[in-house]
């Protein structure tokens, strides 16, 4: 009895949604003695209250259980929210929780993977929802060189057309290559280089793709992303701007690991919801090519219950 129940609850607390049916079928059959034996054998969820002599829930276990039951609800809310409001609230939540890890990813994703009109819409929604601008809120919450980069990226309204000047892209590729070498020599942050920030925050994505190509040519096949390994925020911004499919594929792979923490696992919901009607077809192809298994199969093997079913339904929209 106890081993089977432990498997059910461990699976339930996996961080990828609750298997409601399995929990109901298992837990609903227990009598008082079976529940007591379960509490006694589950030290990761219960501890002995020595004063009153009973097995009490550990606070972290209760929080995890509540969080997992909320995962499906959160996915549905994110999917049904207007994209402008969704992005505005994602940015606000990220800023409120600190400028590191997944929070920084969210800011860069919104700033670099949305169209100019989508980003403008998010800024308008932010005004309405929070009575201040995204730019001023980013400036208030960020510090150091990252502040300048993120304020510039959030302020952008890029030209979306196909036209660009090849010679300018080539010249700026040389400029970026020189700046990277200079930053490495001086052991300084490339974000402090004004022209690099200007190029990344103002040039069209067609222009940046051409710049990326010219950079590869003048650096013996190394990409800008490879040469920015020491500067994570710039590296991710460049990848989001020139190859968002690769960026989202990498984040999804990390989020689907069993050992990933709950903050990283939240990225699975965010990316499936925000890219379902955008470039999910390309993301699925890239995921299969990169990891040898389909994204749907990975979700099927890792996730649970209604949450899993909802994610798979969103994936199917791009079939």
């Amino acid at each position: 009895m106890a081993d089977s129940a432990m498997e059910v609850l461990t699976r339930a607390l996996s961080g990828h949604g609750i298997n409601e049916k399995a929990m109901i079928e298992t837990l609903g059959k227990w009598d008082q003695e079976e529940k007591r034996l379960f509490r006694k054998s589950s030290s990761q969820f219960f501890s002995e209250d020595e004063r009153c002599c009973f097995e009490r829930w550990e606070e972290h276990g209760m929080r995890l259980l509540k969080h997992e039951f909320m995962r499906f609800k959160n996915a549905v809310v994110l999917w049904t929210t207007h994209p402008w409001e969704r992005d505005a609230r994602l940015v606000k939540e990220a800023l409120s929780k600190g400028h590191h890890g997944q929070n920084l990813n969210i800011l860069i994703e919104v700033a670099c993977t949305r169209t100019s009109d989508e980003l403008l819409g998010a800024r308008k929604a932010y005004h309405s929802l929070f009575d201040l601008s995204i730019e001023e809120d980013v400036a208030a919450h960020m510090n150091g060189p990252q502040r300048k980069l993120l304020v510039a990226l959030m302020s952008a309204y890029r030209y979306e057309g196909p036209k660009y000047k090849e010679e300018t892209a080539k010249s700026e590729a040389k400029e970026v290559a020189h700046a990277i070498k200079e930053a490495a020599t001086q052991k300084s942050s490339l974000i402090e280089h004004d022209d690099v920030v200007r190029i990344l925050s103002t040039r069209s994505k067609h222009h940046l793709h051409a710049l990326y190509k010219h950079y590869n040519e003048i650096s013996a096949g190394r990409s800008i992303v490879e040469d920015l390994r020491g500067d994570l925020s710039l590296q991710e911004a460049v990848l989001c701007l020139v190859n968002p499919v690769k960026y989202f594929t990498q984040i999804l792979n990390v989020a689907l690991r069993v050992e990933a923490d709950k903050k990283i696992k939240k990225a699975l919901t965010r990316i499936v919801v925000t890219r379902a009607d955008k470039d999910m077809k390309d993301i699925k192809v890239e995921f299969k090519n990169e990891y040898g298994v389909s994204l749907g199969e990975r979700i099927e093997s890792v996730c649970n219950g209604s949450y899993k079913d909802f994610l798979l339904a969103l994936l199917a929209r791009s079939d």
Side-chain angles (χ1 to χ4, degrees):
M1 177 281 303
D3 287 343
S4 174
M6 278 299 300
E7 290 173 5
V8 171
L9 195 52
T10 299
R11 175 77 169 170
L13 295 177
S14 67
H16 288 104
I18 292 282
N19 189 332
E20 297 95 336
K21 183 178 179 180
M23 286 193 70
I24 291 168
E25 288 178 352
T26 302
L27 304 182
K29 297 174 182 176
W30 288 357
D31 59 25
Q32 293 296 332
E33 179 62 14
E34 286 173 317
K35 287 187 285 185
R36 187 187 70 80
L37 289 173
F38 172 68
R39 292 192 298 269
K40 286 285 189 183
S41 63
S42 306
S43 59
Q44 65 267 58
F45 303 126
F46 297 90
S47 61
E48 189 73 29
D49 188 303
E50 295 180 358
R51 187 176 65 175
C52 297
C53 299
F54 70 97
E55 307 83 26
R56 57 184 292 174
W57 266 101
E58 291 284 1
E59 289 293 328
H60 75 89
M62 294 183 71
R63 286 196 300 270
L64 280 172
L65 199 60
K66 179 180 178 181
H67 181 79
E68 291 314 306
F69 275 115
M70 289 290 288
R71 193 172 291 276
F72 170 64
K73 174 188 172 185
N74 290 343
V76 171
V77 169
L78 205 61
W79 175 247
T80 54
T81 301
H82 190 288
W84 294 359
E85 180 182 359
R86 181 193 63 211
D87 283 345
R89 291 192 182 280
L90 283 171
V91 169
K92 186 65 174 177
E93 182 181 13
L95 289 174
S96 69
K97 292 186 176 179
H99 47 88
H100 53 78
Q102 283 296 305
N103 300 322
L104 191 58
N105 285 142
I106 291 169
L107 300 179
I108 291 172
E109 283 174 27
V110 172
C112 298
T113 68
R114 293 354 181 208
T115 67
S116 294
D117 284 339
E118 287 168 344
L119 182 55
L120 179 61
R123 296 206 298 263
K124 288 179 178 179
Y126 211 90
H127 288 178
S128 179
L129 292 167
F130 308 117
D131 296 319
L132 73 169
S133 72
I134 284 183
E135 297 91 332
E136 68 178 298
D137 217 8
V138 169
H141 283 83
M142 304 299 294
N143 52 48
Q146 287 179 340
R147 174 191 290 168
K148 178 168 65 175
L149 174 67
L150 286 167
V151 169
L153 291 172
M154 285 291 184
S155 304
Y157 190 84
R158 300 174 193 276
Y159 165 63
E160 296 280 354
K163 295 181 179 179
Y164 65 91
K165 294 181 179 179
E166 193 75 42
E167 284 304 311
T168 303
K170 188 173 183 179
S171 173
E172 290 184 344
K174 293 178 181 178
E175 190 174 348
V176 171
H178 176 74
I180 288 175
K181 289 180 181 178
E182 188 176 61
T185 300
Q186 298 177 357
K187 296 183 179 180
S188 61
S189 172
L190 191 63
I191 300 177
E192 296 174 0
H193 198 292
D194 288 341
D195 282 337
V196 171
V197 173
R198 173 188 59 80
I199 291 166
L200 292 181
S201 60
T202 63
R203 293 303 190 188
S204 74
K205 292 180 182 179
H206 286 284
H207 180 103
L208 291 173
H209 275 100
L211 186 156
Y212 190 86
K213 178 193 72 175
H214 288 301
Y215 187 97
N216 285 4
E217 292 169 355
I218 65 179
S219 62
R222 292 191 322 278
S223 70
I224 297 177
V225 173
E226 290 175 303
D227 284 347
L228 289 173
R229 281 180 179 152
D231 204 323
L232 186 59
S233 55
L234 263 180
Q235 184 187 50
E236 292 186 341
V238 170
L239 192 57
C240 279
L241 287 165
V242 301
N243 197 345
V245 168
K246 187 175 185 66
Y247 167 84
F248 286 122
T249 298
Q250 291 176 352
I251 298 295
L252 283 169
N253 181 56
V254 173
L256 281 164
R257 292 174 183 166
V258 174
E259 69 275 13
D261 67 35
K262 66 179 182 180
K263 292 179 182 177
I264 293 174
K265 286 172 179 172
K266 286 180 70 176
L268 173 61
T269 305
R270 182 179 78 247
I271 293 172
V272 171
V273 167
T274 60
R275 310 315 295 179
D277 288 338
K278 298 289 184 181
D279 47 8
M280 183 52 72
K281 186 172 184 177
D282 294 331
I283 291 170
K284 289 192 294 188
V285 170
E286 177 74 12
F287 195 95
K288 180 67 178 290
N289 291 340
E290 189 70 24
Y291 304 111
V293 62
S294 75
L295 179 57
E297 288 170 331
R298 277 287 294 278
I299 289 174
E300 184 80 43
S301 67
V302 171
C303 299
N304 297 306
S306 302
Y307 175 63
K308 175 189 71 177
D309 295 341
F310 187 57
L311 294 184
L312 292 175
L314 295 183
L315 289 190
R317 294 172 67 87
S318 58
D319 288 345

